[in-house]
Amino acid sequence: MTEIKVGIIAAPSFPMQLSEKLSADLPSTLNRALEQDITWNFQCVENPLIGSAEDVNKSLDFAKSIQDEHQWDYAIVVTDLPIVEGKKVVVGNLDEPMGTGLVSIPALGFIRVKQKLKQCLLYFAETVYLYHNEQDKTKRNLNLSLFTRIKPEHTILDEKQENDMLTEDEQEEGDQTSHSKTTTKFILSPLIISWILLLAGMIRANQPWKEIPNFKKIISLSFATATYLTIFSTPWQLSIEYSNLRFIFMTTLAIGGMVLWIMYAHSLWEYPTTMTTRTYRTVYNITTVFTLLIIIVLSYLILFALLMISVALFVPNDLYNMSTSNEGTRTIAQFLYLTWFVTSLGFLAGALGASVENEQKIRAMTYSYRQRARYEEAKRWEASNYYSSDDTNNQSQSHN
């Protein structure tokens, strides 16, 4: 029975989690699609050095080196970095002769990411298998259906371009088999929808709901401030007098002010540098703002739920009627309006001076911070390889 080893080189955190969950289901699905009995062996390897967003195409070359190291037949990179070329959003790259592929998770959007990634991995593995076994590709049974049209674009390197990609040793030996002449890029379209999917996918990759524990300090201080305010009668009367528009304005001010404060206090905004292009920098900042906005809104809702208990305990109905212009039994609407009022006031007044629980984790939530970390690791990795190769050459010359 034929055995094929496929390596999945995943970025840390979300890409690695998805890859590990999918690896067990891929072999049976592939055999059904190919109508063959093949032993597929999928192995997941976590590696942060799969390239930066600006140089993401080099990930295929890096994947080839890891593929040779582990003696895999094929290698597929799964990254949480976006791929943008011009104004086009790229879902992934595929080099069939080399047996390497690349999938960008952000391009898969916000929902059904797991199913979409599974489709990509299966499609890439089937395509490379059909290519290397010289079978008719029109018999392919797996498709890429991502709710939008994906357009494959083939890039053919001429002999000069291919020769420039080779090392000096390969050029001297005439080894032209180690690099492919054709690569395929999968472009997401239409244009507007593709950018919406990209931003939504980047927010999804950040997993903002998992960052709520890092905001415990902010929620606790806001709760203490708002609970203190509930014992005074002035907020009771104001909650009756204020209009819905004013309540919405207070909520917007509280949430927006918190977002701006966290961005400023923890330096989450990406400024122009030589490390990132303008396109990626803009995408990173938009993603950071919306990711933080989701976290703050969830924290606000948690605070609202906690204060409902506080208002019910500390604001008796008789005292409420005596201290306000309300007559009769306090209604549920008045109860909710009072909770809404103290939530916005406590969130704005009590939490603006607070900091998050773990600043390092909050910064790691942003793409720009992860990019800088990858640049530094990549430089250390290249330096270690450079010096190790120098040592090997020196030992070889000394031996000769």
Side-chain angles (χ1 to χ4, degrees), residues 64-317:
K64 181 62 178 176
S65 64
I66 299 179
Q67 174 186 349
D68 296 338
E69 179 183 348
H70 289 82
Q71 297 182 346
W72 295 329
D73 296 290
Y74 316 141
I76 304 175
V77 173
V78 179
T79 179
D80 57 349
L81 296 175
I83 309 176
V84 179
E85 294 190 1
K87 294 183 179 180
K88 299 177 182 178
V89 176
V90 181
V91 177
N93 293 359
L94 182 62
D95 193 318
E96 298 172 9
M98 287 177 61
T100 57
L102 168 68
V103 181
S104 173
I105 287 182
L108 305 182
F110 193 88
I111 59 175
R112 298 186 62 193
V113 178
K114 183 178 178 181
Q115 292 85 342
K116 294 175 184 178
L117 177 60
K118 182 179 180 180
Q119 285 181 328
C120 291
L121 294 175
L122 290 171
Y123 181 89
F124 281 18
E126 182 191 33
T127 302
V128 175
Y129 173 81
L130 294 176
Y131 176 88
H132 284 276
N133 290 272
E134 299 180 352
Q135 297 189 23
D136 187 4
K137 295 182 184 179
T138 59
K139 297 180 179 179
R140 182 186 292 118
N141 294 320
L142 296 168
N143 298 312
L144 292 176
S145 55
L146 304 175
F147 305 112
T148 52
R149 186 167 57 89
I150 293 181
K151 179 182 178 182
E153 290 188 358
H154 302 282
T155 303
I156 301 177
L157 301 178
D158 57 30
E159 186 175 352
K160 181 178 183 302
Q161 288 175 315
E162 183 185 5
N163 204 43
D164 291 340
M165 294 174 63
L166 300 176
T167 62
E168 294 181 359
D169 293 338
E170 289 173 341
Q171 292 179 17
E172 291 176 359
E173 295 174 6
D175 182 8
Q176 302 292 324
T177 61
S178 59
H179 290 268
S180 64
K181 292 184 179 181
T182 305
T183 60
T184 305
K185 295 178 182 178
F186 296 89
I187 308 299
L188 196 60
S189 60
L191 184 64
I192 296 177
I193 295 179
S194 67
W195 277 95
I196 294 174
L197 284 175
L198 178 67
L199 292 172
M202 292 176 69
I203 295 171
R204 174 67 176 83
N206 278 339
Q207 299 178 291
W209 49 89
K210 289 189 176 182
E211 302 297 333
I212 296 297
N214 294 316
F215 285 74
K216 293 194 300 267
K217 187 183 296 184
I218 289 177
I219 296 175
S220 61
L221 288 175
S222 300
F223 178 74
T225 304
T227 301
Y228 178 74
L229 292 173
T230 57
I231 67 175
F232 298 102
S233 61
T234 302
W236 306 352
Q237 182 62 40
L238 290 177
S239 66
I240 296 176
E241 299 293 337
Y242 278 6
S243 62
N244 289 333
L245 185 61
R246 186 170 296 228
F247 274 106
I248 294 173
F249 174 76
M250 286 186 61
T251 303
T252 304
L253 183 63
I255 293 176
M258 181 59 65
V259 171
L260 293 176
W261 170 254
I262 296 297
M263 291 284 294
Y264 170 76
H266 300 283
S267 303
L268 301 183
W269 187 263
E270 174 74 7
Y271 292 98
T273 62
T274 56
M275 298 173 64
T276 56
T277 62
R278 181 179 179 181
T279 300
Y280 283 108
R281 188 169 60 250
T282 302
V283 171
Y284 292 162
N285 286 330
I286 293 174
T287 303
T288 300
V289 170
F290 276 96
T291 301
L292 196 56
L293 183 62
I294 292 174
I295 297 173
I296 297 301
V297 169
L298 292 175
S299 301
Y300 185 92
L301 294 176
I302 292 172
L303 180 62
F304 184 89
L306 293 174
L307 286 173
M308 287 179 66
I309 302 173
S310 177
V311 170
L313 292 175
F314 295 110
V315 186
N317 185 65

Side-chain angles (χ1 to χ4, degrees), residues 314-361:
F314 295 110
V315 186
N317 185 65
D318 294 339
L319 187 60
Y320 181 83
N321 290 335
M322 291 175 56
S323 304
T324 64
S325 58
N326 183 58
E327 296 180 359
T329 305
R330 183 179 52 182
T331 63
I332 295 178
Q334 290 172 334
F335 170 76
L336 294 177
Y337 274 123
L338 177 56
T339 306
W340 189 0
F341 180 81
V342 295
T343 300
S344 298
L345 206 59
F347 203 67
L348 184 62
L352 284 181
S355 60
V356 296
E357 195 79 12
N358 191 323
E359 183 175 7
Q360 199 71 11
K361 287 186 178 180

